[in-house]
Amino acid sequence: MTMAKGIVIFDIDGVIRDVSQSYRRAIADTVEHYTQGEYRPSNGEIDSLKAEAIWNNDWKASQELIRRWDETIPVNFKELVAFFQRKYRGHNFDGYINDEPLLVTKAYFESLTAADIAWGFFSGAMRGSAEHVLKGRLGLENPVLIAMEDAPEKPDPKGLLAAIAQLEAASAQTPVAYVGDTAADMRTITNAISQQPQRRWRAIGVIPPHAQTGDDKEYMYASNLQDVGANIVLPGVQELLPEVLLQLF
């Protein structure tokens, strides 16, 4: 593809895969471990923390929840990461990572390509975890991916801009959409606009499965994404059809 009608970059966790019983479970386990069983954060409490848009890294989110519960608890960050990873990744990907339902299919990305829409990924997940789902489970061949090891944490837009630059179809005038499920994802677009104001940007929010409760909690989750910059909020990434993207562009 030499000339794209638009570019869409996806977050992975909560967008491409359901992490409510993996990453979020590992956060809760980690906090519970360090508080000696006295406190296990709920999904709602984790959502509230992430709504602050500065806790995209789940290791640091775990550490912060521990600190807010009792700031006197000693936490060695390297040991916390090791504990978290034993729960999430396990040994040779046999941990909670196996409890991640996919939220999209390979055919979806094929439909984007057929519509002359270039696509890639910018995620705060480690590269091994991200490639496990993209290549191993979805069967995507060498997708453009900027992972944790490749760029600063969101909402710093460097990783998003790096993903765009890797796409051959990218140009300074090609419109770009970023799809994510957190406040940090939406603010990444806001920060990207300040660096490339000549480009047309679209922030697309997705409600992750654990927040699709059909009540006021879901409404508040969607409202928070809109408050921090989402142009549109959808119940799932497969609702973002090529024709919807082209209209947004």
Side-chain angles (χ1 to χ4, degrees):
M1 184 164 51
T2 59
M3 191 67 176
K5 295 177 181 176
I7 298 167
V8 57
I9 306 296
F10 298 89
D11 180 32
I12 295 177
D13 301 335
V15 177
I16 303 301
R17 60 181 172 186
D18 180 358
V19 296
S20 58
Q21 293 302 312
S22 58
Y23 271 122
R24 284 170 177 267
R25 186 179 173 189
I27 290 175
D29 281 359
T30 303
V31 175
E32 186 176 48
H33 171 75
Y34 277 90
T35 61
Q36 299 184 10
E38 293 186 9
Y39 173 49
R40 183 178 181 86
S42 66
N43 271 328
E45 289 170 317
I46 295 171
D47 284 342
S48 294
L49 182 75
K50 286 185 172 288
E52 297 175 15
I54 55 175
W55 305 107
N56 190 66
N57 182 302
D58 289 338
W59 303 332
K60 293 182 179 179
S62 301
Q63 184 181 44
E64 179 63 13
L65 286 167
I66 295 165
R67 188 196 67 79
R68 293 186 186 188
W69 174 257
D70 183 350
E71 62 183 13
T72 67
I73 295 175
V75 177
N76 180 294
F77 188 69
K78 184 176 180 179
E79 292 175 358
L80 180 149
V81 170
F83 179 89
F84 186 105
Q85 290 299 94
R86 285 197 299 273
K87 293 291 184 176
Y88 173 69
R89 188 165 177 169
H91 301 284
N92 196 29
F93 294 101
D94 60 357
Y96 295 163
I97 193 171
N98 281 326
D99 301 321
E100 295 179 334
L102 295 180
L103 304 175
V104 70
T105 65
K106 182 179 181 180
Y108 172 76
F109 296 102
E110 292 171 343
S111 73
L112 295 179
T113 300
D116 293 333
I117 298 172
W119 49 270
F121 303 90
F122 169 40
S123 171
M126 296 184 74
R127 176 165 289 275
S129 170
E131 290 187 342
H132 177 73
V133 64
L134 299 179
K135 295 182 179 181
R137 299 186 62 195
L138 276 173
L140 303 179
E141 296 183 9
N142 298 317
V144 168
L145 167 65
I146 301 297
M148 177 192 287
E149 300 92 329
D150 306 318
E153 295 174 24
K154 293 178 272 187
D156 190 309
K158 289 185 179 66
L160 175 61
L161 298 177
I164 295 166
Q166 285 190 27
L167 292 165
E168 293 181 359
S171 76
Q173 302 303 318
T174 307
V176 174
Y178 184 48
V179 186
D181 68 319
T182 67
D185 293 327
M186 301 302 99
R187 287 187 175 170
T188 298
I189 285 284
T190 302
N191 292 334
I193 291 172
S194 67
Q195 295 196 25
Q196 293 188 2
Q198 77 282 2
R199 192 189 296 276
R200 190 180 312 137
W201 296 94
R202 294 291 181 265
I204 300 174
V206 169
I207 301 175
H210 78 269
Q212 294 183 21
T213 56
D215 56 18
D216 287 347
K217 291 181 180 178
E218 181 174 347
Y219 173 79
M220 290 301 295
Y221 196 101
S223 295
N224 179 66
L225 292 179
Q226 291 176 320
D227 288 344
V228 292
N231 298 112
I232 184 173
V233 178
L234 301 171
V237 70
Q238 297 217 63
E239 301 289 325
L240 189 61
L241 299 173
E243 52 266 35
V244 174
L245 269 169
L246 292 173
Q247 288 178 352
L248 287 168
F249 290 148

